[in-house]
DNA sequence: CCAGGTGATGTCATTGACTGACATCACCGA
DNA sequence: TCGGTGATGTCAGTCAATGACATCACCTGG
């Protein structure tokens, strides 16, 4: 636990959570989720396993750390939509607000992360419940806008679907395509389906 | 490991998996999922913990044992639908086919099971992935019927949604309401929404 | 400048989920 | 009767997760 840097920068190297996130992604990508132990992640991050669990509830959560923030951001964008916006317009605003999170820098991380998640059942479970939680939050947000319950649920579900599909497409797209464009394209596809 | 019955009925009491299922449900309902250990479940079923894991992949799976069978049944019903049935008609047939699994006898078990699942995040995760798998299977079934990919995905998603909502309503309904009736009612609600 | 509080971490011990390897032994078929 | 088979038990081990307690740089009030 003693490196030159640590002694120079205060008691501990700052941003343990960030180091743990990076270490986890690197190891998951390299050896797979099952082939990686929490102790190894902690080692690479220069902390102990106990500290890992102080920052993340479990071994899966380290890959979903940003999701509460993303969700909060979407809910805020939903609430910030004009009062006279239709439910779907408000949801669209929320989905488009995710663009601020997924710039070109995050794309590479997102790709590796997605690869690990899709190849690990345990992580797919976690992702599903995150999406379900997001759906619930958006539904609640719509209800607060005075949207009827049935409509709110459907709009939220649709919005999350659009986000999921767009995210996948964005990951697969060339490096210079911004996610906002992909979302717009997905919305256009949706419009074509319902028409 | 030696009871009178065992000695009389062959080397082991038959249906260890069934006993484990019942023991697990009883203990989960009584002490909660987290408050129950696999060793306790195994004890109550008259086997060892090692045997538990020979029958079920993990502590969660014991509550989802019948799901592959249900899924297979639905996919078969989907395939058995008339060739000229619309995608949604075929999916409806699949959903209605679940009625054979959920009779009055299963209702009580289903209620207790649902109570445990909704109050345990880990189990909700597992349920979500089961539903996702079901959706994929139904989508594949529709594709084999020659349905267009986009339509197939949407129809499957809708069908699973109808199943989920109906199942919840059935559990909450009086004891003499068959699930088939609830499903029909849900379908009617859906028709009203889209109209 | 010092004492005490605070927060992030380390250390240790423990529980419990899950797995692999090997042993057992009633049953069944040749 | 004998050997194979299958379901189980036993044992040892790994690893995720948690609680209790110690440490110690840093900050703040006096």
């Amino acid at each position: 636990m003693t490196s030159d840097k640590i002694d120079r920068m205060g008691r501990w190297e700052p941003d343990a959570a960030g180091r743990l996130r990076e270490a986890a992604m690197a190891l998951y990508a390299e050896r797979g989720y099952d082939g990686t132990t929490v102790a190894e992640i902690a080692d690479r991050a220069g902390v102990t396993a106990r500290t890992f669990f102080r920052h993340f509830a479990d071994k899966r959560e380290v890959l979903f750390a940003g999701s509460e923030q993303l969700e909060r951001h979407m809910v805020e964008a939903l609430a910030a939509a004009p009062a006279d916006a239709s439910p779907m317009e408000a949801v669209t605003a929320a989905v488009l607000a995710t663009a601020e999170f997924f710039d070109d820098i995050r794309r590479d991380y997102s790709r590796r992360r997605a690869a690990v998640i899709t190849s690990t059942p345990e992580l797919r479970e976690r992702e599903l419940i995150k999406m379900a939680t997001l759906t619930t939050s958006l539904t609640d947000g719509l209800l607060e806008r005075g949207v009827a319950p049935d409509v709110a649920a459907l709009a939220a579900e649709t919005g999350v679907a659009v986000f999921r599909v767009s995210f996948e497409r964005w990951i697969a797209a060339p490096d210079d395509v911004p996610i906002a464009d992909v979302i717009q394209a997905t919305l256009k596809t949706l419009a074509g389906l319902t028409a």
Side-chain angles (χ1 to χ4, degrees), chain A:
Chain A
M1 265 341 58
T2 52
S3 83
D4 327 58
K5 263 186 188 167
I6 287 177
D7 294 337
R8 211 181 322 129
M9 304 193 57
R11 185 164 189 190
W12 294 288
E13 191 84 21
D15 193 24
R19 266 151 43 223
L20 284 165
R21 245 195 310 277
E22 283 175 31
M25 249 318 303
L27 289 171
Y28 290 169
E30 185 183 324
R31 316 179 187 176
Y33 175 82
D34 290 323
T36 305
T37 71
V38 171
E40 290 168 344
I41 298 170
D43 268 357
R44 182 186 275 232
V47 295
T48 63
R50 192 65 184 84
T51 292
F52 178 95
F53 289 109
R54 287 201 177 93
H55 286 278
F56 306 102
D58 58 47
K59 194 184 167 187
R60 299 156 215 94
E61 200 63 17
V62 68
L63 283 191
F64 298 90
S67 64
E68 311 84 25
Q69 204 184 338
L70 179 68
E71 178 177 321
R72 212 177 314 124
H73 196 67
M74 292 179 76
V75 171
E76 281 166 15
L78 183 77
D84 62 344
S86 74
M88 220 31 223
E89 282 168 350
V91 165
T92 297
V95 175
L96 283 172
T98 64
E100 297 161 35
F101 280 76
F102 302 109
D103 52 14
D104 287 345
I105 300 163
R106 304 266 187 123
R107 193 197 303 252
D108 187 60
Y109 174 81
S110 294
R111 279 186 181 137
R112 294 187 302 150
R113 178 176 171 280
V116 174
I117 290 177
T118 53
S119 64
T120 312
E122 275 186 76
L123 294 175
R124 291 207 288 140
E125 285 186 344
R126 182 56 53 89
E127 181 164 58
L128 286 171
I129 207 168
K130 293 290 181 187
M131 289 296 145
T133 305
L134 175 60
T135 303
T136 306
S137 295
L138 291 181
T139 303
D140 290 347
L142 286 169
L143 291 178
E144 287 197 9
R145 293 175 63 88
V147 177
D150 284 345
V151 178
L154 188 58
E157 206 93 51
T158 306
V160 172
V162 168
F163 171 68
R164 267 192 299 143
V165 171
S166 301
F167 190 77
E168 276 172 32
R169 288 186 183 176
W170 177 64
I171 284 174
D175 281 356
D176 56 349
V177 179
I179 195 170
D181 289 7
V182 183
I183 293 171
Q184 297 286 11
T186 304
L187 286 166
K188 196 159 282 182
T189 305
L190 177 67
L193 270 183
T194 43

